[in-house]
């Protein structure tokens, strides 16, 4: 339901581009909703992580509709955001409602939420294996909780099957050619990895820093996404294209087989950082796919590996 409505919102916006001018109003409404009614679910993914680490109160069920509405508004009016954060929060908050009726122990409740994260992530991207691994690492970065392994895989696989039964389209990325493994190609891959790592570090630091700036400069929370919406909407108008807002999937696909402007990744990064740090809802994984794929595309200008392989990397 979420993916189908997200596609509808994107198509409607692209056919009615004047809606982007209303992004600040949409941002204000999201901010007002969370400020008045959703302060206890505003932490989003962090609340899910905290509950897995130290299960206390049941995650409020209202997290699911709130993050759904917030994400739909963000995409409908042209914010630059993803979708995995929404899927994780909807799945985690719905799943945790079963903790009390089934009198789950602390450990079982942790496994339930980990499995929910796997189902949410795996079904929204059509990647159940990645969803399960993501959820298991969600508990402790870089460490695996083995007793959650089977439930996470099972939930992700079933969630993916159900999503496909409802004929929900997923994007497939294809790397046309992969060269032979050689010493030189490994060196090129390491070089590319360094660039991707620097880019990721920059994104992570900037999103925290920009969020702190919004909070320090604007004390009234609903005004933060309002101002952020003005900046993004003006940016889209100045650039003259909508390729950098929303999920940006068409550009990701293009990056695998044709040369794109070398600055694509930087513009997407700036708009995504402003959108999310201002308080709009969604996620950051799909925008990061955009940033990574277009950065790989740009690296092909001086790293002699196939353009599709660098985009995939």
């Amino acid at each position: 339901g979420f993916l189908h409505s997200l596609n509808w919102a994107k198509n409607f916006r692209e056919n009615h581009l004047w809606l982007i001018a209303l992004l600040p109003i949409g941002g204000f409404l999201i901010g007002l909703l969370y400020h008045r009614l959703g302060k206890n679910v505003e932490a989003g993914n962090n609340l899910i992580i905290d509950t897995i680490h130290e299960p206390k109160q049941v995650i409020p069920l209202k997290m699911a509709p709130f993050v759904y509405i917030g994400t739909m508004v963000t995409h409908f009016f042209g914010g630059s955001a993803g979708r995995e954060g929404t899927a994780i929060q909807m799945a985690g908050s719905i799943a945790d409602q079963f903790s009390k009726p089934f009198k789950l122990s602390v450990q079982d409740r942790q496994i339930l939420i980990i499995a929910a994260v796997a189902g949410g992530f795996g079904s929204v991207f059509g990647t159940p294996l990645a969803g399960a691994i993501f959820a298991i690492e969600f508990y402790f970065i870089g460490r695996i909780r083995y007793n959650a392994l089977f439930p996470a895989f099972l939930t992700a696989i079933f969630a993916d099957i159900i999503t496909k039964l409802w004929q929900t389209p997923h994007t497939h990325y294809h790397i046309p050619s992969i060269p032979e493994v050689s010493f030189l190609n490994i060196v090129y891959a390491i070089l590319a990895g360094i660039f991707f790592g620097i880019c990721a570090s920059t994104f992570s630091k900037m999103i925290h820093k920009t969020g702190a700036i919004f909070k320090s400069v604007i004390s009234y929370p609903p005004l933060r996404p309002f101002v952020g919406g003005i900046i993004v909407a003006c940016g889209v108008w100045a650039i003259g294209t909508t390729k950098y807002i929303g999920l940006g999937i068409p550009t990701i696909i293009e990056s695998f087989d044709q040369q794109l402007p070398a600055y694509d990744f930087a513009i997407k990064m700036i708009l995504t950082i402003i959108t999310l740090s201002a308080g709009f809802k969604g996620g950051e994984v799909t925008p990061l796919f955009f940033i990574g794929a277009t950065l790989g595309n740009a690296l092909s200008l001086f790293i002699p590996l196939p353009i599709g392989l660098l985009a995939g990397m």
Side-chain angles (χ1 to χ4, degrees):
F2 170 54
L3 289 176
H4 279 292
S5 53
L6 204 57
N7 281 335
W8 174 85
K10 179 203 73 177
N11 293 332
F12 193 87
R13 182 196 69 229
E14 288 300 305
N15 290 317
H16 304 83
L17 292 179
W18 55 268
L19 285 167
I20 298 169
L22 301 178
L23 183 61
I25 306 297
F28 183 79
L29 293 174
I30 294 169
L32 199 62
L33 175 71
Y34 275 85
H35 183 61
R36 290 281 176 87
L37 303 170
K39 284 184 178 176
N40 58 341
V41 294
E42 203 168 11
N45 284 1
N46 289 335
L47 178 59
I48 305 283
I49 293 169
D50 290 344
T51 306
I52 294 172
H53 279 273
E54 290 181 44
K56 291 173 185 172
Q57 291 182 328
V58 173
I59 298 166
L61 183 59
K62 66 181 175 183
M63 176 184 264
F66 276 31
V67 75
Y68 173 78
I69 292 165
T71 305
M72 292 306 297
V73 170
T74 299
H75 283 273
F76 188 74
F77 292 111
S80 176
R83 53 195 172 177
E84 91 296 334
T86 311
I88 289 166
Q89 289 172 50
M90 289 197 297
S93 59
I94 291 167
D96 204 27
Q97 305 311 308
F98 294 94
S99 298
K100 278 188 177 177
F102 287 98
K103 296 182 174 64
L104 297 182
S105 66
V106 169
Q107 193 178 51
D108 283 345
R109 187 179 166 204
Q110 288 174 324
I111 292 171
L112 174 70
I113 298 170
I114 291 170
V117 169
F121 190 99
S123 60
V124 88
F125 288 113
T127 54
L129 299 183
I133 292 165
F134 174 86
I136 292 159
E137 288 199 322
F138 203 67
Y139 179 70
F140 272 129
I141 303 299
R143 286 171 60 187
I144 288 179
R145 179 158 185 169
Y146 289 100
N147 56 354
L149 203 61
F150 182 69
F153 275 106
L154 203 64
T155 310
I157 289 163
F158 269 92
D160 183 50
I161 290 168
I162 297 298
T163 310
K164 283 173 179 165
L165 285 175
W166 284 86
Q167 297 180 335
T168 310
H170 287 299
T171 310
H172 295 275
Y173 304 106
H174 176 63
I175 299 171
S177 66
I178 298 171
E180 287 181 16
V181 176
S182 68
F183 175 77
L184 202 55
N185 285 341
I186 289 170
V187 170
Y188 291 143
I190 291 169
L191 181 62
I194 291 167
F195 279 101
F196 294 131
I198 292 167
C199 183
S201 178
T202 304
F203 178 89
S204 186
K205 286 172 183 171
M206 286 305 296
I207 204 163
H208 287 294
K209 200 167 281 186
T210 310
I213 291 168
F214 270 110
K215 285 175 184 174
S216 64
V217 174
I218 306 166
S219 57
Y220 185 53
L223 279 178
R224 293 169 199 155
F226 178 78
V227 173
I230 292 172
I231 297 169
V232 172
C234 288
V236 173
W237 176 77
I239 296 163
T241 176
T242 59
K243 71 184 278 189
Y244 302 109
I245 58 174
L247 296 171
I249 287 171
T251 306
I252 300 175
I253 294 168
E254 284 176 10
S255 69
F256 280 80
D257 54 27
Q258 55 185 280
Q259 196 68 58
L260 300 176
Y263 51 77
D264 273 1
F265 79 95
I267 296 175
K268 182 64 173 177
M269 186 188 289
I270 292 164
L271 291 181
T272 304
I273 287 169
I274 294 168
T275 299
L276 295 178
S277 58
F280 284 93
K281 300 300 170 185
E284 54 190 46
V285 167
T286 311
L288 285 171
F289 289 166
F290 183 116
I291 294 163
T294 50
L295 174 58
N297 186 282
L299 291 177
S300 70
L301 293 169
F302 62 90
I303 294 179
L305 288 174
I307 195 168
L309 178 62
L310 283 164
M313 284 178 173

